[in-house]
């Protein structure tokens, strides 16, 4: 090799190294609101998500990522505390009459980062926050719905861009590593509050008369007549029109992701920032959000490292929980997770090596409320083959939340049921409302979760093993619902050191 060739190779190597980076100093968490797998990277051929797809190509795309709870505030709390909702106390929605907050002893990621780094790490949140109490989630930089109208801070991608710029400028000036969380409000429904903007606020900011303008948004209009309907939804034109509106707001979210990543580049942070993208829970359709069925808990997840040695343009089949975001961020900053009570584990090792899959790999779910009136606690274990759901309030009908109730899709299901009209849906409204105590599904052969195996004799041992594993997880995470619904947990007085479940006598009634 000549000296000239050597210099050229050296320069090329330096360029590649500078483009990819060699050390993680910062973390950016991009969080969607009620988004499922409606992305090109997840083989959705309609929803246009060029920026998310590009992020997936330069990162690691997860095919088995799951939220542990299918509700907004509890899901955000799991991300920021590393604990299930029954452990951290965020049992349901934080805002308004629902009024849920984490327990007094719970500290969240921004507080822990500040404490462990002695204030050296700058934390920020832009967009939807939706957790509390405020002292438990104290970011150094906050521009959220607590200070702005939710659409202006969560859907106006120009505002998100400008506040991102302000935060990054602070980080640059102060020469601090940072953790920044962007809480997009898209594609959450808004039709029950501001119906004039469309069911998903898809008309808000389009530049149409009376809709205002978001300068950086180039609206993408979808022809509902050309859309395929996912198998879990009724095959009707009403649903197609809703999907067109949802995809339109997902494209707004996607363009916002592009703006944020461009700001990252302009401040020279792209080469040393770990980027995550996910969603709090599944879309607001039947059998999705507020459910522990697959469409309610299956989560998009991208982990893009700037490190040249890490995996890029690859997929992983590892079973992971959104509770793992907490430990992953601590690990990225080389800070320890020193409490064995956490359900969180770092995902950083996956950037280097794919683990060997095991049939008993599992994630867990804990959903107690959504709105305060939706008292329907559920617990779940999901392995690679089976899912077991424990419905603790199975004597009651499954509850419906407000914005989903007013949606055209649910209204069509409701009216068809009331008028005894045929509806092309894979289940009935009665079976959706009336659920047994135990639901066991073979996920590999029954992807729609239509055939409950809990009462089948040949699955008796599977049921027993999964029940035991679920009970052990609840016990290890201090679940107050551990003994429900047929017994009462006694863990005080003479039972303090040896908590027990004392029967309510249901079996003899």
């Amino acid at each position: 090799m000549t000296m000239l060739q050597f210099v050229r190779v050296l320069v090329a190597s330096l360029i590649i190294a500078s483009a990819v980076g060699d050390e993680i100093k910062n973390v950016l968490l991009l969080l969607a609101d009620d988004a499922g797998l409606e992305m090109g990277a997840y083989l959705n051929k309609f929803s246009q998500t060029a920026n998310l797809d590009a992020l997936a190509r330069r990162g690691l795309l997860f095919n088995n990522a799951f939220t542990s709870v299918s509700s907004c505030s509890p899901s955000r709390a799991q991300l920021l505390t590393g604990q299930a909702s029954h452990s951290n106390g965020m049992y349901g929605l934080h805002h308004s009459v629902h009024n849920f907050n984490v327990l007094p002893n719970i500290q969240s990621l921004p507080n822990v980062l500040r404490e462990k780094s002695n204030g050296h790490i700058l934390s920020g949140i832009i967009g939807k926050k939706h957790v509390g109490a405020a002292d438990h989630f104290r970011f150094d930089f906050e521009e959220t719905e607590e200070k702005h109208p939710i659409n202006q801070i969560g859907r106006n991608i120009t505002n998100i861009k400008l506040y991102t710029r302000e935060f990054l400028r602070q980080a640059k000036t102060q020469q601090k590593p940072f953790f920044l969380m962007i809480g997009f409000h898209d594609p959450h429904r808004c039709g029950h509050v501001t119906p004039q903007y469309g069911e998903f606020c898809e008309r808000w900011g389009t530049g149409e008369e009376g809709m205002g303008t978001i300068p950086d948004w180039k609206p993408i209009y979808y022809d509902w007549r050309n859309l395929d309907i996912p198998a879990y939804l009724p095959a009707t034109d009403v649903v197609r029109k809703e999907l067109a509106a949802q995809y339109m707001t997902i494209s707004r979210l996607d363009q916002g992701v592009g703006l944020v990543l461009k700001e990252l580049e302009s401040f020279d942070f792209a080469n040393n920032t770990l980027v995550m993208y996910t969603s709090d829970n599944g879309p607001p359709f039947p059998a999705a959000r507020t459910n522990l069925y697959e469409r309610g808990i299956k989560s998009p997840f991208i982990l893009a490292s700037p490190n040249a040695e890490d995996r890029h343009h690859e997929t992983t089949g590892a079973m992971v929980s959104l509770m793992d975001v907490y430990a992953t961020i601590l690990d990225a900053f080389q800070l320890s997770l020193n409490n064995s009570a956490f359900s969180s584990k770092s995902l950083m090792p996956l950037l280097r090596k794919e683990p060997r899959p095991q049939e008993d790999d599992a994630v867990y779910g804990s959903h107690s409320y959504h709105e305060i009136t939706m008292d329907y606690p559920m617990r779940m274990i999901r392995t690679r083959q089976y899912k077991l759901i424990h419905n603790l309030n199975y004597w009651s009908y499954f509850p419906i939340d407000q914005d989903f109730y007013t949606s055209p899709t649910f209204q069509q299901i409701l009216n068809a049921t009331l008028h005894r009209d045929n509806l092309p849906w894979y289940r009935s409204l009665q079976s959706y409302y009336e659920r047994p105590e135990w639901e066991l599904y073979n996920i590999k052969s029954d992807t729609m979760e239509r055939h409950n195996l809990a009462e089948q004799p040949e699955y008796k041992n599977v049921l027993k093993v999964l029940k035991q594993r679920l009970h052990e997880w609840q016990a290890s995470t201090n679940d107050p619902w551990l003994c429900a619904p047929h017994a009462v947990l006694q863990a005080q007085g003479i039972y303090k050191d040896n908590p027990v479940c004392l029967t309510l006598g249901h079996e003899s009634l």
Side-chain angles (χ1 to χ4, degrees):
M1 179 183 292
T2 67
M3 181 59 70
L4 180 59
Q5 289 173 323
F6 174 78
V7 171
R8 285 175 176 171
V9 171
L10 179 61
V11 170
S13 299
L14 290 173
I15 291 173
I16 292 172
S18 64
V20 179
D22 58 0
E23 183 182 2
I24 294 173
K25 294 183 179 179
N26 316 298
V27 177
L28 171 64
L29 173 59
L30 304 164
L31 182 64
D33 197 356
D34 289 5
L37 306 184
E38 305 89 359
M39 293 167 47
Y42 284 110
L43 305 183
N44 185 306
K45 63 182 181 181
F46 299 102
S47 185
Q48 297 185 39
T49 52
N51 295 288
L52 287 171
D53 297 344
L55 182 64
R57 285 193 296 273
R58 70 177 181 86
L60 187 62
L61 183 71
F62 287 70
N63 285 324
N64 284 311
F66 300 88
T67 179
S68 69
V69 55
S70 193
S71 176
C72 182
S73 296
S75 181
R76 289 158 199 269
Q78 77 171 336
L79 291 168
L80 293 171
T81 68
Q83 301 182 54
S85 60
H86 66 246
S87 298
N88 62 44
M90 187 68 73
Y91 307 130
L93 298 180
H94 166 63
H95 72 293
S96 186
V97 67
H98 317 298
N99 199 40
F100 286 104
N101 294 291
V102 293
L103 295 169
N105 63 320
I106 299 297
Q107 289 297 320
S108 72
L109 200 54
N111 300 49
V112 171
L113 291 175
R114 185 181 305 109
E115 178 182 337
K116 284 180 174 287
S117 71
N118 293 317
H120 182 59
I121 297 173
L122 184 69
S123 66
I125 183 169
I126 298 166
K128 187 173 180 179
K129 185 179 181 183
H130 207 21
V131 287
D135 286 344
H136 295 265
F137 297 89
R138 184 71 65 191
F139 290 80
D140 301 319
F141 179 99
E142 297 195 13
E143 297 293 344
T144 72
E145 77 279 5
E146 295 174 355
K147 294 169 60 177
H148 308 272
I150 183 61
N151 281 349
Q152 290 290 358
I153 197 61
R155 300 188 201 263
N156 189 328
I157 60 176
T158 296
N159 285 344
I160 291 172
K161 176 192 75 174
L162 295 176
Y163 283 121
T164 298
R165 184 178 298 171
E166 183 180 338
F167 173 83
L168 295 178
R169 184 178 291 116
Q170 284 190 24
K172 195 83 168 180
T173 301
Q174 298 176 23
Q175 296 184 322
K176 287 184 176 182
F178 64 81
F179 163 56
L180 175 60
M181 178 175 174
I182 307 290
F184 294 97
H185 194 29
D186 283 326
H188 194 285
R189 289 186 182 274
C190 72
H192 69 301
V193 176
T194 52
Q196 69 273 25
Y197 297 136
E199 186 58 35
F200 289 84
C201 273
E202 68 274 10
R203 298 182 64 202
W204 188 80
T206 57
E208 301 172 32
E209 184 177 354
M211 296 296 109
T213 301
I214 301 173
D216 288 289
W217 183 32
K218 297 176 178 58
I220 298 175
Y221 293 86
Y222 294 83
D223 186 345
W224 61 268
R225 293 165 295 189
N226 295 329
L227 301 181
D228 290 343
I229 297 177
Y232 76 98
L233 295 177
T236 68
D237 288 345
V238 167
V239 174
R240 283 190 178 87
K241 292 175 181 178
E242 285 226 83
L243 288 174
Q246 182 204 25
Y247 291 171
M248 190 170 174
T249 58
I250 287 174
S251 292
R252 178 167 57 198
L253 155 73
D254 177 76
Q255 292 178 32
V257 167
L259 293 173
V260 171
L261 295 179
K262 188 174 181 180
E263 290 299 315
L264 207 65
E265 292 177 3
S266 68
F267 281 90
D268 294 326
F269 287 129
N271 298 337
N272 56 19
T273 300
L274 180 72
V275 180
M276 299 183 189
Y277 168 77
T278 191
S279 176
D280 54 358
N281 46 249
F285 285 106
R289 189 186 70 189
T290 75
N291 288 271
L292 294 181
Y293 299 134
E294 289 292 277
R295 281 78 191 173
I297 61 172
K298 196 74 176 285
S299 302
F301 198 91
I302 301 170
L303 190 61
S305 169
N307 220 321
E309 292 79 16
D310 288 338
R311 299 167 70 187
H312 304 279
H313 203 178
E314 293 187 33
T315 61
T316 175
M319 297 278 287
V320 304
S321 168
L322 294 195
M323 287 187 285
D324 297 333
V325 166
Y326 179 86
T328 303
I329 293 175
L330 287 180
D331 193 10
F333 287 115
Q334 300 181 32
L335 300 173
S336 61
L337 179 69
N338 50 13
N339 189 331
S340 60
F342 287 98
S343 296
S344 187
K345 64 180 184 299
S346 176
L347 304 178
M348 296 298 285
L350 295 176
L351 289 170
R352 296 297 174 94
K353 183 180 180 181
E354 182 73 5
R356 184 182 297 276
Q358 304 292 331
E359 279 300 313
D360 61 352
D361 290 341
V363 293
Y364 296 88
S366 173
H367 184 109
S368 299
Y369 291 87
H370 181 64
E371 296 168 357
I372 185 62
T373 54
M374 297 175 68
D375 180 16
Y376 204 86
M378 302 174 285
R379 301 295 183 264
M380 176 206 76
I381 176 173
R382 203 273 198 196
T383 67
R384 290 186 180 275
Q385 182 166 4
Y386 295 105
K387 176 189 288 182
L388 179 67
I389 300 174
H390 191 190
N391 297 309
L392 304 182
N393 196 10
Y394 67 97
W395 294 289
S396 176
Y397 287 124
F398 185 80
I400 304 299
D401 65 277
Q402 294 179 56
D403 68 348
F404 173 57
Y405 178 84
T406 63
S407 71
T409 292
F410 182 75
Q411 286 298 308
Q412 185 178 43
I413 294 172
L414 178 62
N415 288 321
T417 303
L418 293 174
H419 295 97
R420 293 177 169 80
D421 295 332
N422 290 327
L423 185 72
W425 191 30
Y426 79 108
R427 65 188 306 163
S428 68
L429 189 58
Q430 181 176 357
S431 69
Y432 191 71
Y433 287 155
E434 298 178 358
R435 305 184 183 187
E437 180 177 3
W438 296 98
E439 297 180 72
L440 175 64
Y441 300 104
N442 186 330
I443 298 297
K444 285 188 175 181
S445 62
D446 181 19
T447 58
M448 296 296 293
E449 298 162 289
R450 301 178 70 172
H451 307 293
N452 185 7
L453 307 173
E455 299 296 329
Q456 301 296 317
E458 59 267 39
Y459 290 94
K460 182 178 180 180
N461 189 58
V462 172
L463 181 64
K464 179 181 178 181
V465 170
L466 292 180
K467 278 185 177 182
Q468 182 62 30
R469 292 184 68 184
L470 181 58
H471 183 83
E472 289 171 357
W473 177 71
Q474 289 181 256
S476 68
T477 54
N478 301 315
D479 188 352
W481 282 266
L482 175 66
C483 303
H486 303 296
V488 170
L489 174 64
Q490 290 289 355
Q492 299 179 24
I494 61 174
Y495 302 108
K496 184 176 181 179
D497 295 328
N498 294 289
V500 296
C501 295
L502 300 180
T503 182
L504 289 167
H506 291 169
E507 65 277 5
S508 63
L509 296 177

